[in-house]
Amino acid sequence: TAVLWFSTAAAAGASLDAELRPYLAQYDLPALAAAVVKNGKVVSSGAVGTRRMGERIPVTLHDRFHIASNTKAMTALLAAMLVEEGKLQWSATVGDVFPELSGEADPRLGKATLVHLLSHTAGIDDRREEYEKAMAGSCFQGGNLDELRYGFLKACAKTPLAADPGTQWAYSNMGYIFVGAMLERKTGKSWDELITERIFRPLGLKTAGLGPQASLGKIDAPLGHFPVDGKFKAFLAGPNGDNPALLGPAGIAHMSVLDFAHWAGWNAGEGKRGPALVKAETLKTIHRAIATTPPRNAA
């Protein structure tokens, strides 16, 4: 399944279904949804395909799609809120927030700042075996998610970084889990509570939620699909229906294409459109480029 947000102009009220359908066959997609936003308003939209490949369960504009790593932008907004409130600083380091880990953590991780973590320049290599083991182990631990994220950070803190913070760019889901733990330490609430209370509700994202977008035992949303032995397998709600909940700050949100378009339009307004969750200059700060990503064909 896929969700797209198009910023190109289109006739107001026009359906995009006819334009989207060819892509289903071209890219072998079960479903596709898109919306056009102009001046903060959805002026055209469409949803085509089926919730489960091989079955006729048509998707709708109100179906919940997994937005994966687009969740990261919401985590960055939560961090910006705490910065404005004086609970955190952009320059705050992992060592500042978790001083008790100084004796066991890689000293370089202790110097990684909030900006480093949010911009994938903290020097973290997600491919390290230690991270994978800690992630797998967390699935069998008890406790609330904030406790699991802190435990994950503590378990991973001793793992040597691949580079000094601020010297290299490397995409990192782990870094966003660390940011989530920082937000939780400073607020006393889980990241899951924060994103729901401070982003989903104020922006009126009524279809937004966390974890598998389909309900357990139902196909009431487009399912994720993955190629297995040359065929696409649909993943139902359950333990394997989404990323581990621990990974929340890096990518477990879902919502309809219309709500996602509203979120995108709010960002595009750069503070000119309500609600005023942060100041306009703060929103521009989190939109500002920090690092240049390498070409996709780079070694």
Side-chain angles (χ1 to χ4, degrees):
T1 54
V3 179
L4 298 177
W5 168 57
F6 293 123
S7 60
T8 51
S15 171
L16 296 174
D17 287 2
E19 298 177 55
L20 297 177
R21 282 196 185 92
Y23 292 102
L24 295 177
Q26 183 176 348
Y27 295 103
D28 204 15
L29 298 172
L32 179 66
V36 176
V37 179
K38 185 176 182 180
N39 297 325
K41 304 292 183 181
V42 175
V43 297
S44 190
S45 57
V48 296
T50 180
R51 292 174 178 170
R52 184 173 189 172
M53 188 169 278
E55 299 185 24
R56 294 182 60 83
I57 312 175
V59 297
T60 74
L61 286 171
H62 302 288
D63 275 8
R64 303 177 297 277
F65 280 80
H66 197 286
I67 67 168
S69 284
N70 287 288
T71 309
K72 290 181 172 67
M74 298 180 177
T75 298
L77 177 58
L78 289 173
M81 292 177 181
L82 266 62
V83 170
E84 280 198 353
E85 295 166 4
K87 297 177 180 178
L88 199 59
Q89 295 78 42
W90 293 120
S91 60
T93 65
V94 173
D96 292 335
V97 180
F98 302 103
E100 72 276 14
L101 300 182
S102 60
E104 53 188 289
D106 179 345
R108 293 184 298 174
L109 176 62
K111 297 177 182 178
T113 68
L114 180 61
V115 170
H116 288 144
L117 293 166
L118 291 172
S119 61
H120 306 282
T121 59
I124 299 171
D125 181 359
D126 277 17
R127 297 168 296 181
R128 295 296 297 265
E129 183 179 354
E130 294 89 340
Y131 297 148
E132 295 178 1
K133 287 183 177 180
M135 180 69 70
S138 71
C139 297
F140 300 97
Q141 294 176 8
N144 293 318
L145 283 169
D146 55 339
E147 297 169 319
L148 296 187
R149 291 187 183 111
Y150 175 72
F152 178 83
L153 169 61
K154 188 175 182 180
C156 296
K158 63 188 70 174
T159 302
L161 294 184
D164 290 336
T167 62
Q168 293 183 22
W169 181 91
Y171 195 85
S172 176
N173 287 317
M174 302 303 103
Y176 269 76
I177 298 177
F178 296 169
V179 170
M182 294 171 77
L183 303 182
E184 291 167 339
R185 170 62 64 90
K186 290 297 183 179
T187 62
K189 291 190 174 185
S190 70
W191 170 89
D192 313 76
E193 293 175 280
L194 294 172
I195 193 172
T196 301
E197 295 174 359
R198 307 200 63 173
I199 295 181
F200 292 170
R201 290 176 186 167
L203 286 175
L205 306 179
K206 295 182 180 180
T207 63
L210 303 171
Q213 63 272 32
S215 304
L216 191 63
K218 298 180 180 180
I219 307 176
D220 55 359
L223 302 178
H225 290 74
F226 194 79
V228 178
D229 297 329
K231 296 181 180 180
F232 280 104
K233 178 180 180 179
F235 282 85
L236 298 166
N240 299 316
D242 190 21
N243 294 316
L246 175 76
L247 200 64
I252 66 165
H254 60 252
M255 63 189 66
S256 72
V257 68
L258 298 179
D259 275 345
F260 187 55
H262 178 64
W263 158 253
W266 179 83
N267 275 274
E270 294 195 328
K272 300 182 183 68
R273 298 168 188 150
L277 301 183
V278 291
K279 298 175 182 177
E281 55 265 34
T282 300
L283 196 55
K284 290 179 180 179
T285 295
I286 60 176
H287 289 168
R288 188 174 300 127
I290 300 295
T292 301
T293 60
R296 291 189 65 180
N297 60 354

